[in-house]
Each structure stands twice: as structure tokens, then as C-alpha cells.
Amino acid sequence: MPQAEDHRCGFVALIGAPNVGKSTLINALVGSKVSIVTPKVQTTRTLIRGIAIEGNAQLIFVDTPGIFSPRRRLDRAMVGTAWGSAQDADIVALLIDARKGVGDDDEAVLRGLADLRATKALVLNKIDLVAKPTLLTLAESLNAREKFAATFMISALSGNGVEDLRRWLAQQVPAGPWHYPADQISDAPLRQLAAEITREKLYLKLHQELPYQSTVETEVWKELADGSVRIEQTIYVERESQRKIVLGKGGATIKAIGAAARADIAEVIEQPVHLFLFVKVREGWGNDPERYREMGLEFPRE
Ligand SMILES: Nc1nc2c(ncn2[C@@H]2O[C@H](COP(=O)(O)OP(=O)(O)OP(=O)(O)O)[C@@H](O)[C@H]2O)c(=O)[nH]1
Ligand SMILES: [Mg+2]
């Protein structure tokens, strides 16, 4: 470990429209799964911190919910949380999906970015999907609009360019003591990560509005004498009809969700897992302050 006096440490917020690859990038930067990833928009709901060491710097990455025009109360909470994190960060990395280019949601993020004092970096992601000339044009037009300290072209999925980004960030964060022990990679309790992993499987296996109308909470986490863990989780949905869909024919859907979640949780915690899932109807959970507390979100008053 380097001497404490030459330590550096800082917060790096990853912001951008939904689905640009923020969670994929935080996992790549940390080198471990700290945040869930799905092909669907609005996967991340709250702030997820992932911690990495680069040389003498400790980088605390903050994955944020995608920024979009919020409609529901939950949407407003998610977007408010994302901006809050950007305000507190030393460095804000704006992610753009290079294949899609700048859409309406990105425009809104760019407008908000103008008011931030933090050092800003531009990260064009998904370069595995686009031709070089397109990338250069995109980089140029974005740099003409906002003062970025640096521009990176990366693929969070393949890892291409991620090293360079991490090294640059390590040089930018202020001098100061590390906030976390050297081996810590996340500040989220394991029970929260486990609930997120089950939510990821819900997003992957269910379609249309259902994933957005569900939430997952870990109710029981019991270490057993044989070194395994018993985990009980509740999936909340809005209506009985949704409960039936989550269960599936003869319980087939919930069984598949449980099997996929169990395997991932066991891998992350490196212990055998017995996972028990329950599905409950809680009409209007999207307006229930307690659910927000469980997710780590502020409850918007209206
Ligand atoms: N081809 C390609 N796909 C990527 C890349 N990065 C992310 N993706 C995919 O893009 C989709 C969205 O990724 P996420 O990391 O969940 O995106 P996000 O920005 O966190 O999304 P929200 O949490 O909804 O705001 C997933 O299907 C990823 O596999 C990349 O570099 N290349
Ligand atoms: Mg995400």
C-alpha cells in the first residue's frame, strides 16, 4: 500500500440516459459485478457505489439511474437521485451510447450538466457497434457544446478503453486519504445486492410493464452451520394478474427466475445459497414510502 501522504481519493459519478451502459461500465471499472445490467431501459433505480484502486488512488464510482423525463413518482425519485450524485462528485463522466447518438434524453442530461462544477469527462460507449468516423463526429459536436476535460471512446462490454479511463480518473481525483479499506469493492449490503440480482432476472424473464411494476426485497439472510446461506426474498407486484405472470404456468417462471438468481448470488458471495422467493401483491407500492426506504431512495413528496 502506498504511503498515506500520497494517497488520492474521489467520487466519480457515471451519468447518462437510460441504457447507455453505466452499470456495465461500473462493473468493468471495479472488475466485479456490483450493479445489475439488462437490455431494458431504467434498470438501475438507486445509487450503486463501486470501489476500485488504481495506483495510489481510490476511485469511488457511483452508478446512477438513467436520466429521462420522469412520469411516475418512482421515476422522479430515480432521476432526482442521479442528479444529486452528480452534484456531490469530484468528476462526472457523461456516457453516451455512440450507436444511438444524441437523443432527447441525452439533450436533457447535457442541459443539466452545464450547471455542474465538477470536472467533466465525455465517455462514448458501445464503440464496438459503430464506425470510427461516426465516433469522431459525435465527439467533436459534443465537445463544441460542453467543456469536457477529456473524451474517451470505450466498449464497457468488451473492456476496450476502460483501463485508460480508470488511469486518467486516478490522476484527476484530489489528494486525500482513502475512504474505504483497500479490499472493499462496494458499500452496499449483500442483502441489497442479492435483491438487485433477483430484480435483474425479473427484467430478463418478464416483459412489457411488469418489471417496472415490481420490486424485490431481501427479508431473511441466515448463515447456516454448513457454510451455506438461506435467503428469503419477496417480489412485490401491483396486481393479482401480475402475480400470476411472475409465478408462470405451474410455477415455471418463478422457478427459472429463482434458479438464475441463486446461481449469480452464490457466485458473488462465494457461498452456497438456498433461495426462497415469494410473490406478493402490494397495490400502489410505487407510492409507499417504505418501499423507497428499502431501495435507498428519497420519497418524492408528490
Ligand atoms: N454492444 C455493447 N453493448 C453494451 C455496451 N455497454 C453496455 N451494453 C449493453 O447495453 C444494455 C444496457 O446496459 P446497462 O449497463 O444496463 O445500461 P445503464 O446505462 O446502466 O441502463 P439504466 O440502468 O437503465 O439507466 C445492456 O444490454 C448491455 O449489455 C457496450 O460497450 N457495447
Ligand atoms: Mg444501470
Side-chain angles (χ1 to χ4, degrees), residues 48-67:
I48 309 285
R49 288 195 192 88
I51 307 153
I53 306 292
E54 177 68 43
N56 58 1
Q58 182 168 61
L59 300 168
I60 304 151
F61 295 103
V62 189
D63 183 16
T64 64
I67 292 168

Side-chain angles (χ1 to χ4, degrees), residues 17-25 36-44 63-66 125-129 154-158:
N19 209 243
V20 295
K22 301 175 295 297
S23 300
T24 308
L25 179 57
I36 63 170
V37 170
T38 82
K40 294 191 169 65
V41 296
Q42 297 162 35
T43 297
T44 307
D63 183 16
T64 64
N125 187 31
K126 310 197 187 183
I127 61 165
D128 50 301
L129 302 174
I154 69 159
S155 169
L157 192 64
S158 76

Side-chain angles (χ1 to χ4, degrees), residues 118-145:
T119 303
K120 296 160 201 167
L122 174 63
V123 178
L124 303 182
N125 187 31
K126 310 197 187 183
I127 61 165
D128 50 301
L129 302 174
V130 273
K132 195 111 191 231
T134 319
L135 277 177
L136 296 177
T137 316
L138 188 59
E140 229 169 74
S141 73
L142 284 161
N143 274 285
R145 295 180 55 166

Side-chain angles (χ1 to χ4, degrees), residues 1-297:
M1 205 154 118
Q3 290 301 302
E5 52 265 32
D6 35 73
H7 275 185
R8 318 176 73 82
C9 185
F11 286 83
V12 181
L14 309 179
I15 68 161
N19 209 243
V20 295
K22 301 175 295 297
S23 300
T24 308
L25 179 57
I26 196 173
N27 292 338
L29 286 163
V30 171
S32 177
K33 182 175 181 125
V34 293
S35 195
I36 63 170
V37 170
T38 82
K40 294 191 169 65
V41 296
Q42 297 162 35
T43 297
T44 307
R45 285 188 179 158
T46 187
L47 302 183
I48 309 285
R49 288 195 192 88
I51 307 153
I53 306 292
E54 177 68 43
N56 58 1
Q58 182 168 61
L59 300 168
I60 304 151
F61 295 103
V62 189
D63 183 16
T64 64
I67 292 168
F68 58 103
S69 305
R71 287 177 296 126
R72 304 176 301 166
R73 192 192 293 263
L74 176 59
D75 299 340
R76 289 196 294 280
M78 286 161 51
V79 172
T81 279
W83 280 124
S85 153
Q87 262 139 23
D88 296 339
D90 298 295
I91 302 170
V92 173
L94 168 68
L95 268 79
I96 300 276
D97 180 332
R99 188 192 40 174
K100 287 200 190 131
V102 178
D104 290 345
D105 287 336
D106 305 285
E107 291 287 351
V109 184
L110 280 161
R111 282 194 296 275
L113 206 62
D115 300 331
L116 296 176
R117 274 173 305 133
T119 303
K120 296 160 201 167
L122 174 63
V123 178
L124 303 182
N125 187 31
K126 310 197 187 183
I127 61 165
D128 50 301
L129 302 174
V130 273
K132 195 111 191 231
T134 319
L135 277 177
L136 296 177
T137 316
L138 188 59
E140 229 169 74
S141 73
L142 284 161
N143 274 285
R145 295 180 55 166
E146 176 66 55
K147 199 168 163 12
F148 292 108
T151 299
F152 295 86
M153 301 180 188
I154 69 159
S155 169
L157 192 64
S158 76
N160 191 357
V162 172
E163 270 297 323
D164 283 348
L165 173 60
R166 196 171 47 213
R167 269 201 294 271
W168 181 82
L169 291 168
Q171 291 161 5
Q172 303 301 312
V173 290
W178 292 0
H179 289 332
Y180 295 94
D183 58 355
Q184 194 167 338
I185 58 165
S186 165
D187 72 343
L190 287 176
R191 44 194 302 153
Q192 186 188 329
L193 180 57
E196 284 287 277
I197 289 173
T198 300
R199 202 164 60 78
E200 178 183 85
K201 306 312 171 197
L202 276 174
Y203 270 58
L204 294 174
K205 303 228 188 267
L206 301 171
H207 301 291
Q208 274 116 30
E209 283 301 298
L210 227 177
Y212 302 104
Q213 301 197 351
S214 59
T215 187
V216 181
E217 294 177 14
T218 301
E219 318 273 4
V220 174
W221 184 288
K222 194 158 184 268
E223 304 277 344
L224 303 179
D226 64 1
S228 66
V229 187
R230 178 188 173 97
I231 302 172
E232 295 177 13
Q233 295 178 331
T234 302
I235 300 169
Y236 290 105
V237 293
E238 289 272 357
R239 288 188 292 281
E240 181 56 29
S241 57
Q242 296 173 337
R243 199 178 78 91
K244 290 214 177 78
I245 298 171
V246 175
L247 293 175
K249 217 175 184 173
T253 307
I254 188 84
K255 209 166 155 193
I257 291 168
R262 192 199 60 74
D264 264 26
I265 297 168
E267 194 182 316
V268 169
I269 70 172
E270 298 176 332
Q271 276 173 284
V273 167
H274 312 278
L275 178 64
F276 298 87
L277 297 179
F278 304 92
V279 189
K280 284 191 192 154
V281 179
R282 171 99 24 121
E283 212 179 305
W285 69 257
N287 291 311
D288 174 3
E290 177 60 24
R291 304 278 79 76
Y292 285 67
R293 224 178 349 265
E294 284 287 333
M295 282 185 268
L297 286 173

